[in-house]
Amino acid sequence: MAGFLSMLKQSTLVHLCFAISFFTSGLIINTVQCILYVGLKPFNKHLYRTIGYYLCYSFYSQLVFLADWWSDTKLNVYASDEDMKYCGTEHVLLLMNHTYEIDWLLGWMFCEKVRVLGNCKAYAKKVIQYIPTIGWAWKFAEFVFLERSFEKDREIIGRQINEILDYPDPVWLLLNAEGTRFTEQKHEASVKFAQEKGMVPLKHHLIPRTKGFTASLPFLREKCPAVLDIQLGISKDSKVKPTIFNILNGKQIEAHLCVRRFPTETLPEREEDAAVWLQELFREKDRMQDSFHRTGSFFTDSGVAERPKLQLHRRPTTLVNTAFWVVATLTPMLYYLVMLLFSGEILYFSIGAGILFAFYMLMVKAIGMSKISKASSYGAEKLKNGHSPTHEPVEPTAAESSKDK
């Protein structure tokens, strides 16, 4: 039985069914979002956002299902009782290391368990809003889309944060301060830059860009009570690498996630001091990551106070939601595809085969996108050219990013 289940999870046909269900449900959700955006938001923004929460949750949780139920991925959370008391009850800005291909999905797993998945948002490049399903969903969900021109982005950040913090339920807003996912090549450029500027090089992170953080902070102080630092670690000796392909193939990944809460009121008010605070935070995060890889614990050699280990259980809502969409989308889709393929007409057979091929290519493209940092070439090039991270426009990675976050 175990062998059959393993074979089923690695079946391309099953993966294709997931892709058909996910993209079809995404288009349905986008359509509903569009109708509400035009017909409801101008008259009742509160109700629009409340309904939008459940639409986004229904969409995102299909991916969380793959991690939680399909691959049985284990997420070990380290957080104090005091910090966990606030999780899911307030607006927060999230700062998270951008190290792994699936760090966005592991973050979504945590957000789902504290019931904020539908209100996960992020700083994202403007071009992402034009991508069907996920990009359109983020556009209607009022993500912070930026243009890479800091003067324009400063205005956008202020306007969008004020909009987001008016949400009726807690919003978690993700900022990947490193600007791009960690790779050896980008790390070499980051170390070289730090040495040239007299800064402390980081072993496991890229030098953070501070402009996006310092530009956001003044708008967060009034309605955003805290900044949450998320440190994610996965053992380098793990037999199953943290990739979306392994998740899709049902292979279990074990991840460790440390949560620390910093009240906004305790953060420096001057922009220069806030930039220094962020740089120091990343040096601390670097010590935590180094301790984790050497000892298996974030706390042994990092100087950071130890947090208790929590095991947050997966919730059945992601399973029920995914099952609903699989039945609702695959039943009519597969019926008509079978009718086309076995119609005996070359034209209808070609149409059916073309539809299947299109969904297959969408699946391959989606997996490929999860492996590529949306800001990678830009971030690496800026470091190579000697530009200071403190003067860069925000370089978000929402799609990786990504979302209750």
Side-chain angles (χ1 to χ4, degrees):
M1 182 63 182
F4 172 77
L5 187 60
S6 176
M7 183 177 66
L8 186 69
K9 289 184 175 183
Q10 297 180 47
S11 167
T12 302
L13 181 60
V14 173
H15 299 168
L16 185 57
C17 288
F18 274 136
I20 292 173
S21 178
F22 179 72
F23 290 116
T24 304
S25 66
L27 291 175
I28 294 171
I29 289 170
N30 289 161
T31 302
V32 177
Q33 286 178 309
C34 184
I35 293 171
L36 295 176
Y37 185 84
V38 174
L40 179 61
K41 186 181 178 183
F43 310 103
N44 193 330
K45 190 180 290 186
H46 185 286
L47 181 59
Y48 169 80
R49 288 168 169 173
T50 301
I51 298 173
Y53 169 91
Y54 292 102
L55 291 174
C56 287
Y57 178 86
S58 184
F59 191 33
Y60 304 161
S61 66
Q62 295 176 66
L63 297 175
V64 176
F65 158 82
L66 291 176
D68 251 344
W69 292 91
W70 188 251
S71 70
D72 195 23
T73 287
K74 185 178 180 182
L75 186 64
N76 301 297
V77 177
Y78 304 83
S80 68
D81 292 338
E82 181 70 13
D83 289 351
M84 283 302 297
K85 181 179 70 176
Y86 289 101
C87 282
T89 66
E90 61 184 1
H91 295 317
V92 297
L93 177 72
L94 287 175
L95 297 173
M96 184 176 181
N97 57 313
H98 199 8
T99 309
Y100 308 101
E101 180 181 312
I102 59 167
D103 49 25
W104 59 274
L105 181 55
L106 296 169
W108 277 8
M109 285 179 66
F110 176 63
C111 291
E112 200 281 330
K113 290 168 176 55
V114 297
R115 308 191 181 192
V116 292
L117 181 59
N119 271 350
C120 286
K121 306 187 189 301
Y123 295 78
K125 290 195 300 183
K126 189 175 181 179
V127 67
I128 293 176
Q129 67 184 318
Y130 303 112
I131 299 176
T133 63
I134 194 71
W136 295 349
W138 288 352
K139 173 63 177 176
F140 292 124
E142 301 175 284
F143 274 53
V144 183
F145 289 106
L146 303 175
E147 300 188 14
R148 286 186 172 180
S149 167
F150 187 66
E151 292 309 312
K152 293 181 180 178
D153 288 342
R154 184 190 291 273
E155 180 182 348
I156 293 170
I157 287 171
R159 183 174 67 250
Q160 282 300 105
I161 287 179
N162 285 331
E163 283 287 311
I164 286 172
L165 297 186
D166 269 341
Y167 265 62
D169 300 304
V171 170
W172 283 21
L173 177 63
L174 172 66
L175 171 64
N176 284 126
E178 293 169 276
T180 181
R181 194 170 74 230
F182 184 97
T183 67
E184 291 301 326
Q185 182 180 9
K186 295 169 199 170
H187 181 240
E188 289 176 8
S190 178
V191 169
K192 182 179 179 182
F193 170 83
Q195 292 171 341
E196 290 174 351
K197 299 298 180 181
M199 302 171 69
V200 179
L202 303 178
K203 293 177 63 176
H204 306 283
H205 301 79
L206 307 180
I207 297 293
R209 303 176 180 199
T210 61
K211 274 293 184 180
F213 176 71
T214 58
S216 301
L217 207 50
F219 303 100
L220 297 170
R221 292 191 184 278
E222 184 177 348
K223 295 182 180 180
C224 184
V227 170
L228 274 190
D229 173 56
I230 304 292
Q231 189 62 30
L232 180 65
I234 298 174
S235 174
K236 291 182 178 180
D237 298 328
S238 175
K239 294 181 179 179
V240 181
K241 300 304 178 185
T243 66
I244 193 66
F245 188 72
N246 280 335
I247 291 283
L248 195 58
N249 278 291
K251 297 181 179 179
Q252 186 184 65
I253 294 168
E254 183 169 4
H256 302 263
L257 187 148
C258 180
V259 181
R260 296 185 295 164
R261 181 180 182 272
F262 298 93
T264 308
E265 62 186 17
T266 65
L267 303 184
E269 293 192 11
R270 292 178 64 247
E271 185 171 317
E272 296 82 358
D273 295 336
V276 171
W277 181 89
L278 183 66
Q279 296 286 358
E280 178 56 37
L281 176 69
F282 266 80
R283 286 192 282 272
E284 193 171 65
K285 287 165 70 67
D286 207 55
R287 294 194 297 271
M288 292 176 67
Q289 199 77 345
D290 192 58
S291 176
F292 173 79
H293 286 308
R294 288 188 296 102
T295 70
S297 168
F298 289 119
F299 314 108
T300 303
D301 293 333
S302 65
V304 175
E306 186 168 358
R307 269 78 173 165
K309 179 180 175 181
L310 309 173
Q311 189 69 56
L312 302 181
H313 298 290
R314 59 191 181 188
R315 300 199 303 147
T317 46
T318 57
L319 175 62
V320 173
N321 176 76
T322 303
F324 165 78
W325 280 117
V326 166
V327 173
T329 58
L330 288 185
T331 301
M333 286 284 290
L334 292 181
Y335 173 79
Y336 286 109
L337 280 173
V338 169
M339 293 292 288
L340 288 171
L341 293 173
F342 291 95
S343 64
E345 298 286 339
I346 295 179
L347 176 61
Y348 293 153
F349 177 86
S350 299
I351 292 173
I355 292 172
L356 285 174
F357 180 75
F359 275 113
Y360 177 78
M361 292 307 297
L362 276 173
M363 179 180 68
V364 172
K365 183 67 173 177
I367 293 173
M369 284 178 64
S370 72
K371 298 178 180 179
I372 302 172
S373 171
K374 299 297 182 291
S376 58
S377 59
Y378 180 76
E381 189 63 29
K382 289 293 182 179
L383 284 170
K384 289 178 182 177
N385 292 338
H387 290 265
S388 169
T390 60
H391 290 82
E392 290 301 319
V394 178
E395 202 53 64
T397 48
E400 307 161 315
S401 17
S402 100
K403 222 118 46 88
D404 308 316
K405 282 180 247 301

